[in-house]
Amino acid sequence: MPKPLVLILCTGNSCRSHMAEAILRQAAGDLVEVQSAGSNPTGQVHPMAIQVMQEIGIDISAHRSKHMNEFLDRRPVHTVITVCDNAAESCPLFPGQMARHHWPFPDPAHAPGSEQERLTAFRNVRDQIQALFHAYAAGLNDQPNIKNQPSYSVEPR
């Protein structure tokens, strides 16, 4: 039986969703398959996202920016997690979707300031994502058989 698919969406699929994808993949281990996509992908993974993830020992340099439509015709998406308000507004219902969470984070790609200030913004968002997705993964680990149970859901604000 395939692992439940968790799809993490943001608008550009260039930083927040990739950081969340990699953090959840590492934290959840073998419980779920994790992918990310965007409603309007930029076509690249932001270099600063790659850099701040390497700082915590996670390599996302091989990730690619994908459109969420790539997942409409795939096997069922168990859970959709939106990490920005724009993606939440444009998110379709995916076949087989059992849960949807909306956990918005500021977009560090639009942070003003010097390179160091922008890196600080990326680190802050990474740390927020890491705290939330580690807690989410811990909840998955507490479910005795995630593959046969629906996920719990948090209502969008």
Side-chain angles (χ1 to χ4, degrees):
M1 177 178 246
K3 295 184 277 188
L5 175 60
V6 176
L7 181 60
I8 302 170
L9 299 176
C10 69
T11 304
N13 190 225
S14 67
C15 40
R16 292 169 289 185
S17 54
H18 284 286
M19 290 190 283
E21 172 189 354
I23 287 168
L24 181 57
R25 185 176 289 134
Q26 182 183 61
D30 207 27
L31 291 174
V32 293
E33 176 188 350
V34 185
Q35 294 288 329
S36 67
S39 57
N40 188 21
T42 63
Q44 70 157 352
V45 179
H46 198 290
M48 287 187 176
I50 294 169
Q51 180 178 342
V52 300
M53 292 300 288
Q54 285 175 336
E55 292 172 0
I56 62 168
I58 300 175
D59 183 7
I60 63 170
S61 63
H63 284 206
R64 68 177 180 86
S65 184
K66 302 172 289 299
H67 196 280
M68 65 185 176
N69 289 348
E70 287 186 33
F71 296 90
L72 285 173
D73 296 329
R74 282 191 52 180
R75 65 181 179 79
V77 174
H78 184 275
T79 302
V80 173
I81 302 172
T82 51
V83 293
C84 77
D85 290 330
N86 289 337
E89 293 169 11
S90 64
C91 182
L93 185 63
F94 288 85
Q97 182 179 327
M98 298 183 84
R100 180 172 174 188
H101 308 285
H102 177 57
W103 300 322
F105 298 94
D107 188 354
H110 293 114
S114 68
E115 182 175 343
Q116 194 56 44
E117 291 168 324
R118 292 174 58 228
L119 276 170
T120 297
F122 271 85
R123 289 180 184 116
N124 289 339
V125 170
R126 175 206 60 205
D127 294 346
Q128 292 170 25
I129 288 171
Q130 189 171 35
L132 189 126
F133 280 86
H134 275 236
Y136 177 69
L140 292 175
N141 283 312
D142 289 342
Q143 294 183 29
N145 191 352
I146 181 66
K147 292 180 182 180
N148 295 322
Q149 291 184 2
S151 175
Y152 55 88
S153 180
V154 174
E155 293 298 316
R157 301 190 224 170

